[in-house]
Amino acid sequence: MEKRILITGGAGFIGSHVIRNFIKKYPNYLIVNFDKLTYAGNLENLVDIEAADNYDFIKGDITDINLVKKVFEKYKFDSVIHLAAESHVDRSILDPLEFVQTNIIGTANLLNAAKESWANDFEGKLFYHVSTDEVFGSLSKTGFFTEKTSYDPRSPYSASKAGSDHLVRAYFHTYSMPTIISNCSNNYGPNQFPEKLIPLAINNIVNKKQIPIYGKGDNVRDWLYVLDHANAIEMLFHKGEAGETYNIGGDNEWTNLDLIRNLCQILDDKLNREKGESEKLITFVKDREGHDLRYAIDFSKINKQFDWKPSLDFKTGLENTVDWYLTNKKWLENVVSGDYLNFYKKQYDKR
Ligand code: NAD
Ligand code: TYD
């Protein structure tokens, strides 16, 4: 095998698209998916590639240092693409310690296992860490996050991701381990767990349930289609420079309210409902604690260096996403049971 890559969190939303990309394009790379299969990890996301000759799956927790070490010993990886994380801001407000464990301790374990396995010989090695723009904090109505923006995380989720980014930077500066970090804006698309705004709204609209909008709905996010993110990761994995960080964004800012109105129109059309019917489900609820007002990414660095830009316009991306959820009703039914119902009750009842 030309490369032996450990991908963590490959059963999650973004990870499953990254894995599919690599499996299909690089039959000479061995891809090992290491995933705890938390509520957010779902092997149904990978059914089409699970039998591939260059793919292995290991169920495991990145906080389990002995298991992580054993896996490095067995496979002798030359690269890591680290996506495993607790990823939902609202859950981080309810249970911050789980985020510290997985996102900070888990990342430290992986970095150290890689360093030991590579015995400080870093020729041909790479630790690629997938992170978020939320580490930069919150913007007012103007301005953009660049790679030089100071870190200013404000939720337990973003603070734990910032902590993990700092550890990755420390391994580059202290031990000269080749690392790359990318900080990406909000992703949307197929396979996203319906706790995040877009799939939650799609599920609720389909089932004629209220769509909870925090505060006045004037918070702004920059949305990127998940396959564009997966392609950017694949590109930076091959072309990025060790020790560098790269911002990835969609150039696609929407207030939450405008975004949901768009989604309602798309679903009215596709479900043959009367124009304006789904919008009636919009319900303004108590704001998120510490709710960041606006995220916006300046991705001119990867645009100039690698000619990267998002490939899909938002309308097409949203339509594809809605079509995927309408076609994959069983996937959705399977994930909105059990734990999801408990979380939903805790998060939204009496809000
Ligand atoms: P997700 O919640 O859909 O998936 C996370 C995956 O990690 C799941 O498969 C889960 O089982 C696994 N996991 C969680 N804890 C683990 C542990 N202790 N050990 C092993 N596996 C574990 O997340 P996502 O949206 O696909 O995000 C993936 C990565 O991208 C995360 O690092 C996230 O911070 C980052 N990111 C996400 C977005 C976004 O909009 N979703 C944007 C930028 C960056
Ligand atoms: P989310 O999808 O949780 O992503 P993040 O918090 O990481 O940006 O939320 C996107 C935006 O939507 C954010 O401003 C919070 C808001 N939101 C709601 O208004 N209602 C909801 O039920 C959820 C989940 C999010």
Side-chain angles (χ1 to χ4, degrees), residues 88 134 186 195-197 212 214 221 256 288 291 348:
H88 190 40
E134 301 189 28
N186 287 58
E195 64 190 353
K196 305 283 188 338
L197 180 65
Y214 299 160
R221 296 292 182 264
N256 293 334
R288 173 186 280 174
H291 198 172
Y348 295 102

Side-chain angles (χ1 to χ4, degrees), residues 8-16 34-42 60-63 82-88 98 101-103 106 129-134 157 161 182-188 191-193 195-196 223 229:
T8 68
F13 166 48
I14 301 171
S16 60
F34 184 91
D35 195 299
K36 184 180 174 185
L37 299 183
T38 67
Y39 77 91
N42 187 349
D61 187 333
I62 55 170
T63 68
H82 175 35
L83 294 114
E86 287 293 337
S87 70
H88 190 40
E98 192 62 34
Q101 280 303 321
T102 286
N103 298 359
H129 178 59
V130 176
S131 193
T132 166
D133 61 353
E134 301 189 28
Y157 165 65
K161 289 297 289 186
S182 54
N183 297 90
C184 187
S185 62
N186 287 58
N187 284 214
Y188 72 100
N191 305 89
Q192 187 167 32
F193 192 80
E195 64 190 353
K196 305 283 188 338
W223 294 94
H229 187 191

